[in-house]
């Protein structure tokens, strides 16, 4: 990608090194301090690109959908004085601010064109270890996630290293795809998809709820593709040869089937919450190829 000309987002808050990592949370990176089976299972399922891992930690088997289901509460839990810090100028922070900035401009354009509405941009929090969110305690072990309650994307940038080294999915566009996928969840939230899904989940078995979750995730992948397509149309230099392939490679690397095989040694389709590698690639590619939100109806699709 060539991001040199991209204006940086002002919606990034840098909480790295804020000391949230120790606050009673669990670390998975190097440590093995987890003794509770359910948490391990939840993490395996929620490890990448959760909407909100609390959904799995709190809900699921109980039939409750946890904090994720109350988007109307705690709209803004962040300290209003904690203004986004534009001070950190390390490469990663600049990269994130530029990519997010591009998503803001691109989605604004899509919203104006398609809905004649302004796009309400999400916030993005960089953290290390753990941090407080309106969906509960965020932990880096969960991977990047979006919390609908505070309309914020949370990313511990050590995830990028993991993506590259453990899952062989390096490259700047792979990293941008991670952000774009979470922004895709934000778009779902704004468009009311999440509310509908929440309501439906209340009346479902766990297996059915997981299937619905897969459709939510694949749609976020498709939205990520739509973003990249439109962004490229606006600025042909932004996307370089091989970039889309990098994104597809990343989408394949974090499919539920491949992750399960890697973490549990076997594949349990009923526990899928994000879709298989092939499905994730297919829906990302649909967005990349068309740039059309109308192509992203994963809920109406007969086959995923
Ligand atoms: Zn997701």
């Amino acid at each position: 990608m060539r991001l040199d000309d991209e204006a940086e987002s002002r919606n990034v808050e840098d909480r790295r090194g804020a000391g949230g990592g120790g606050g009673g949370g669990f670390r998975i990176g190097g440590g093995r301090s987890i003794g509770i089976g359910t948490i391990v299972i939840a993490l395996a399922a929620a490890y990448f690109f959760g909407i909100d891992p609390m959904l799995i930690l709190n809900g699921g088997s109980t039939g409750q959908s946890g904090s994720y289901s109350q988007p109307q509460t705690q709209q803004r839990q962040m300290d209003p004085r904690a203004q986004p810090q534009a001070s950190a100028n390390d490469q990663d922070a600049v990269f994130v601010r530029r990519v997010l900035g591009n998503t803001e401009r691109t989605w604004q354009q899509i919203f104006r064109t398609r809905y004649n509405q302004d796009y309400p941009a999400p916030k993005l929090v960089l953290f290390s270890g753990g941090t407080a969110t309106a969906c509960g305690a965020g932990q880096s072990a969960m991977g990047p996630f979006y919390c609908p309650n505070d309309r914020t994307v949370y990313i511990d940038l050590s995830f990028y290293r993991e993506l590259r080294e453990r899952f062989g999915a390096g490259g700047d566009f792979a990293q941008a795809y991670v952000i774009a996928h979470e922004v895709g969840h934000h778009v779902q939230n704004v468009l009311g998809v999440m509310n509908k899904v929440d309501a439906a989940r209340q009346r479902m078995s766990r297996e059915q709820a997981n299937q619905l979750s897969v459709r939510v995730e694949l749609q976020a992948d498709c939205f990520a593709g739509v973003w990249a397509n439109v962004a490229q149309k606006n600025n042909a230099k932004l996307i370089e040869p091989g970039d889309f392939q990098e994104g597809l490679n990343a989408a394949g690397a974090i499919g539920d089937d491949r992750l399960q095989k890697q973490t549990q040694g076997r594949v349990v389709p009923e526990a899928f919450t994000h879709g298989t590698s092939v499905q994730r690639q297919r829906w990302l590619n649909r967005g990349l190829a068309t740039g059309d939100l109308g192509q992203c109806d994963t809920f109406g699709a007969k086959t995923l």
Side-chain angles (χ1 to χ4, degrees):
M1 301 183 77
R2 298 216 20 201
L3 290 158
D4 319 35
D5 298 337
E6 291 298 325
E8 297 180 18
S9 169
R10 300 159 67 98
N11 292 313
V12 175
E13 182 187 342
D14 194 348
R15 291 187 200 162
R16 293 173 297 172
F26 39 84
R27 303 288 294 273
I28 201 171
R32 291 286 177 272
S33 56
I34 299 164
I36 308 161
T38 45
I39 291 181
V40 177
I41 291 163
L43 282 179
Y47 200 64
F48 288 100
F49 300 138
I51 304 168
D52 171 12
M54 304 307 155
L55 178 64
I56 294 157
L57 291 171
N58 301 335
S61 57
T62 65
Q64 308 260 324
S65 64
S67 56
Y68 161 65
S69 66
Q70 271 90 45
Q72 67 274 31
T73 60
Q74 296 177 302
Q75 274 299 323
R76 205 36 95 209
Q77 208 187 42
M78 277 186 284
D79 184 347
R81 286 164 305 177
Q83 280 302 309
Q85 298 168 3
S87 56
N89 283 318
D90 55 290
Q91 230 182 340
D92 280 344
V94 173
F95 174 83
V96 168
R97 289 199 298 266
R98 283 181 171 159
V99 170
L100 190 68
N102 184 289
T103 66
E104 289 163 358
R105 292 181 286 281
T106 304
W107 279 111
Q108 168 67 9
Q109 178 192 341
I110 296 170
F111 266 58
R112 288 254 51 118
T113 309
R114 191 176 174 95
Y115 302 109
N116 196 27
Q117 270 178 35
D118 283 325
Y119 167 67
K123 293 214 176 300
L124 186 151
V125 169
L126 297 174
F127 71 100
S128 48
T131 196
T133 85
C135 297
Q139 299 289 336
S140 54
M142 296 160 175
F145 64 94
Y146 172 73
C147 170
N149 297 358
D150 54 19
R151 295 189 158 200
T152 301
V153 173
Y154 292 88
I155 300 185
D156 182 330
L157 291 174
S158 63
F159 175 77
Y160 283 157
R161 196 178 58 236
E162 194 145 16
L163 193 61
R164 193 166 57 235
E165 292 173 3
R166 189 168 167 210
F167 295 97
D172 52 5
F173 189 80
Q175 296 181 179
Y177 155 63
V178 170
I179 297 170
H181 173 97
E182 299 306 335
V183 169
H185 284 313
H186 173 68
V187 171
Q188 290 176 313
N189 190 23
V190 171
L191 295 180
V193 175
M194 283 193 173
N195 273 336
K196 279 189 204 153
V197 167
D198 275 334
R201 284 185 70 103
Q202 310 286 348
R203 307 181 297 269
M204 285 183 172
S205 70
R206 179 160 197 172
E207 193 178 331
Q208 287 173 318
N210 283 349
Q211 284 167 10
L212 195 58
S213 166
V214 167
R215 291 176 191 267
V216 172
E217 292 304 325
L218 294 177
Q219 187 175 62
D221 281 338
C222 188
F223 284 2
V226 167
W227 159 72
N229 176 293
V230 176
Q232 185 187 34
K233 275 185 200 138
N234 289 337
N235 176 5
K237 281 192 311 188
L238 182 72
I239 311 286
E240 297 176 300
D243 274 347
F244 282 3
Q245 195 50 48
E246 254 174 41
L248 291 167
N249 179 44
I254 53 183
D256 281 326
D257 48 344
R258 211 177 295 178
L259 278 186
Q260 279 187 353
K261 223 179 265 175
Q262 219 151 356
T263 54
Q264 302 169 30
R266 67 205 161 86
V267 174
V268 187
E270 309 79 58
F272 284 177
T273 53
H274 289 67
T276 64
S277 296
V278 166
Q279 288 170 337
R280 297 199 71 162
Q281 289 178 325
R282 185 181 298 143
W283 285 94
L284 172 60
N285 195 44
R286 193 166 293 187
L288 287 174
T290 65
D292 176 9
L293 278 186
Q295 296 292 317
C296 297
D297 183 12
T298 55
F299 299 96
K302 283 213 174 71
T303 51
L304 292 174

